[in-house]
């Protein structure tokens, strides 16, 4: 892996423009290089994120917050000329995070991003976007987002990968996903994907109404599960199913508190939005 070090997290507006202009698949090989840079944690930005995602005040960073620290680097990586797939239209299938140590007192970190594991899929091809966060003591946090690019032709069989429906979960809580949550999440995350912002912009991409961001669904779920979960040595994995249309109500079902368990996010009419599990890091 060849690493390029950036002096700071990239500015987002030029990257949005680059993403908007690239609409074609230009290859079937992932880049062999990654990006990293040092990032400062801004307490005011963390507080705004907590408010949007429902996290209580705490000296610990929310387990999902490193996604926000990495977003500029991820956008630069996925809009680079050598990256073969257009960013607009990628589908986030699943997300895994690992919290190795308690994330208290985190202020200055090194964030790294790269891609790997290109595989055939029934609808195209998938790859993993890997993000790591290191502090002065070493690896603190790792994230793995599986992304689908439709229309890519790869040789080979598509591997079957899906969580079974949980059978030991009960309703824990429910909440409203308001019509403006996509815009509010965009302001704290930097992710202004049109499918999340309004019905008008979502319709341009084939959605009848705006849908909630998958990582907001996961963050809101982690906030609701706060009392259930250990603060470190934990792996949290979710698969995104049917999108949450805005506005809408979602219901969180979960197993008993402990070092491992299962979760399910459902909507009206028993629609399944997200499946997940947590467990100690192997």
């Amino acid at each position: 892996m060849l690493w390029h070090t950036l002096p700071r997290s990239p500015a987002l507006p030029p990257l949005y423009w680059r993403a908007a202009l690239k609409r074609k698949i230009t290859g079937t090989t992932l880049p062999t290089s990654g990006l990293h840079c040092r990032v400062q944690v801004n307490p005011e930005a963390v507080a705004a994120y907590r408010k949007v995602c429902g996290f209580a005040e705490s000296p610990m960073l929310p387990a999902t917050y490193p996604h926000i620290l990495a977003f500029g680097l991820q956008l630069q990586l996925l809009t680079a000329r050598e990256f073969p797939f257009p960013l607009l239209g990628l589908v986030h299938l699943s997300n895994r995070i690992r919290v190795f140590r308690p994330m208290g007192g985190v202020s200055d970190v090194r964030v790294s991003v790269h891609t790997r594991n290109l595989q055939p899929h029934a609808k195209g091809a998938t790859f993993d976007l890997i993000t790591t966060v290191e502090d002065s003591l070493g690896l603190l946090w790792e994230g793995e987002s599986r992304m689908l690019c439709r229309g890519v032709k790869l040789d080979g069989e598509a591997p079957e990968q899906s969580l079974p429906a949980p059978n030991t979960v009960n309703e824990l809580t429910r909440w409203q996903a308001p019509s403006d949550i996509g815009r509010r999440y965009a302001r704290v995350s930097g992710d202004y994907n049109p499918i999340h912002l309004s019905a008008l912009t979502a319709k341009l991409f084939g959605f009848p109404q705006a849908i909630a961001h998958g990582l907001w669904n996961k963050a809101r779920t982690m906030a609701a599960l706060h009392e259930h979960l250990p603060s470190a040595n934990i792996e949290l994995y979710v698969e995104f199913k049917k999108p949450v249309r805005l506005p809408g109500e979602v219901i969180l079902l979960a197993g008993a508190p402990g070092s491992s368990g299962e979760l399910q996010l459902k909507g009206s009419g028993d629609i399944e939005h997200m499946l997940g599990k947590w467990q100690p890091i192997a």
Side-chain angles (χ1 to χ4, degrees):
M1 177 69 62
L2 176 65
W3 291 98
H4 300 290
T5 302
L6 303 186
R8 66 190 66 84
S9 192
L12 297 180
L15 301 179
Y16 292 136
W17 184 244
R18 206 191 287 178
L21 291 177
K22 182 169 183 176
R23 295 301 180 91
K24 293 184 178 177
I25 296 165
T26 57
T28 54
T29 306
L30 294 175
T32 56
S33 59
L35 301 173
H36 51 214
C37 74
R38 299 207 74 80
V39 177
Q40 298 287 329
V41 177
N42 178 341
E44 291 178 1
V46 176
Y49 177 85
R50 285 186 194 282
K51 189 172 181 180
V52 169
C53 298
F55 286 98
E57 281 298 313
S58 168
M60 302 288 179
L61 272 188
T64 47
Y65 192 72
H67 286 299
I68 310 304
L69 298 177
F71 183 67
L73 274 186
Q74 293 172 345
L75 206 58
Q76 173 125 338
L77 186 77
L78 298 179
T79 57
R81 184 177 295 136
E82 60 269 24
F83 187 74
F85 311 137
L87 178 62
L88 286 176
L90 291 181
V91 180
H92 197 170
L93 297 180
S94 65
N95 178 265
R96 183 189 315 274
I97 62 176
R98 298 182 178 99
V99 183
F100 292 93
R101 288 179 282 112
M103 294 199 295
V106 179
S107 59
D108 177 71
V109 293
R110 187 173 83 154
V111 179
S112 306
V113 299
H114 70 283
T115 56
R116 69 182 183 198
N117 197 27
L118 187 64
Q119 292 186 324
H121 185 275
K123 296 180 179 177
T126 61
F127 66 92
D128 294 335
L129 174 62
I130 307 298
T131 304
T132 58
V133 175
E134 298 168 90
D135 63 6
S136 59
L137 297 177
L139 185 60
L140 180 65
W141 183 97
E142 182 180 61
E144 177 186 292
S145 292
R146 178 147 297 172
M147 313 299 291
L148 166 68
C149 182
R150 292 189 177 98
V152 181
K153 299 288 192 291
L154 291 181
D155 293 333
E157 289 293 313
E160 284 293 322
Q161 295 171 320
S162 190
L163 284 176
N167 51 23
T168 56
V169 294
N170 297 296
E171 181 176 336
L172 182 67
T173 186
R174 55 179 69 199
W175 59 81
Q176 298 296 321
S179 57
D180 68 342
I181 196 62
R183 298 188 293 277
R184 290 171 56 204
Y185 186 77
R187 286 195 287 271
V188 299
S189 69
D191 190 342
Y192 283 86
N193 188 324
I195 63 175
H196 306 306
L197 301 181
S198 70
L200 190 63
T201 55
K203 282 173 184 170
L204 297 174
F205 293 85
F207 292 89
Q209 60 206 96
I211 62 173
H213 198 295
L215 287 179
W216 179 78
N217 290 333
K218 183 173 185 179
R220 186 67 186 80
T221 297
M222 294 301 102
L225 284 172
H226 178 68
E227 300 295 325
H228 271 54
L229 306 175
S231 63
N233 188 37
I234 183 173
E235 177 179 298
L236 303 150
Y237 174 74
V238 299
E239 291 177 357
F240 303 113
K241 303 296 186 180
K242 297 284 186 184
V244 176
R245 294 184 179 186
L246 301 176
E249 183 182 58
V250 292
I251 302 158
L252 173 63
L253 301 96
S259 60
S260 61
E262 297 177 302
L263 66 92
Q264 187 175 35
L265 202 64
K266 299 177 98 169
S268 61
D270 230 25
I271 293 173
E272 191 170 68
H273 295 307
M274 197 169 78
L275 281 178
K277 63 180 181 178
W278 70 90
Q279 63 192 28
I281 296 171

